[in-house]
Amino acid sequence: MFKDLSPGIKRSITRSITVAFEQYMNRIDWSESKFDLSTFISEWRDYIQNQATWYDKVENDTKNNSQFHQELAVKINETIEKILSEEPTKEQMDEIEALQTELNQEYDYSCKTEAKYVIEKLKEELKKKRSN
């Protein structure tokens, strides 16, 4: 069923998983101990029903089909695995190192998307420090 969707809809589904996962992980500060798959799925479902463009383009019969749900579960797992396995860039690592040095703090990060989050968090902390 998933394979029968248009390439554009498949890309949109992948993008919705990526965006919802990043938003969820940012909300829980990328804490593995706070991660709850059922909560993420619930938030993703809310995202696709209210913000994703592809949701209204897929027939209700397809969306209600258990095989489609199984295939979506596989796609969710693949997408999350891809996000978590993408190494931070050298530029990200250098920027994090510089910010951590300036703030005298240290953050752990393991993937490109988490590094992006850490950079934003450190920049916000630096901004607060400079305004005091």
Side-chain angles (χ1 to χ4, degrees):
M1 300 198 89
F2 186 83
K3 65 178 174 38
D4 297 331
L5 297 173
S6 74
I9 289 179
K10 288 191 268 190
R11 278 192 303 276
S12 292
I13 289 171
T14 301
R15 180 77 183 135
S16 70
I17 296 165
T18 301
V19 168
F21 183 73
E22 184 174 349
Q23 289 175 349
Y24 173 72
M25 293 305 291
N26 289 350
R27 190 176 59 70
I28 64 168
D29 295 319
W30 281 83
S31 171
E32 290 179 32
S33 64
K34 292 179 185 175
F35 182 81
D36 180 72
L37 183 60
S38 62
T39 301
F40 163 67
I41 296 297
S42 175
E43 290 185 18
W44 176 69
R45 187 173 296 123
D46 182 62
Y47 177 85
I48 64 172
Q49 291 173 345
N50 296 305
Q51 296 177 326
T53 57
W54 67 267
Y55 191 74
D56 292 333
K57 296 176 184 173
V58 175
E59 297 289 330
N60 283 334
D61 288 347
T62 301
K63 289 188 284 194
N64 294 326
N65 188 295
S66 62
Q67 180 184 347
F68 182 66
H69 286 264
Q70 290 171 354
E71 292 170 0
L72 273 179
V74 169
K75 187 63 179 172
I76 289 168
N77 288 333
E78 289 173 352
T79 303
I80 291 173
E81 179 59 35
K82 182 178 179 186
I83 292 167
L84 296 176
S85 65
E86 191 172 9
E87 296 288 327
T89 66
K90 178 165 179 9
E91 292 79 17
Q92 285 178 312
M93 292 186 290
D94 290 346
E95 186 171 7
I96 289 170
E97 184 64 35
L99 290 164
Q100 289 182 138
T101 299
E102 188 165 349
L103 288 163
N104 197 29
Q105 295 181 9
E106 192 168 316
Y107 285 90
D108 292 327
Y109 58 96
S110 60
C111 68
K112 185 176 181 178
T113 306
E114 186 177 13
K116 177 182 164 188
Y117 168 77
V118 169
I119 290 168
E120 292 306 313
K121 186 172 182 149
L122 288 167
K123 283 181 175 179
E124 189 62 35
E125 288 181 30
L126 187 58
K127 189 175 166 182
K128 287 178 187 175
K129 181 181 176 182
R130 289 180 176 165
S131 68
N132 289 338

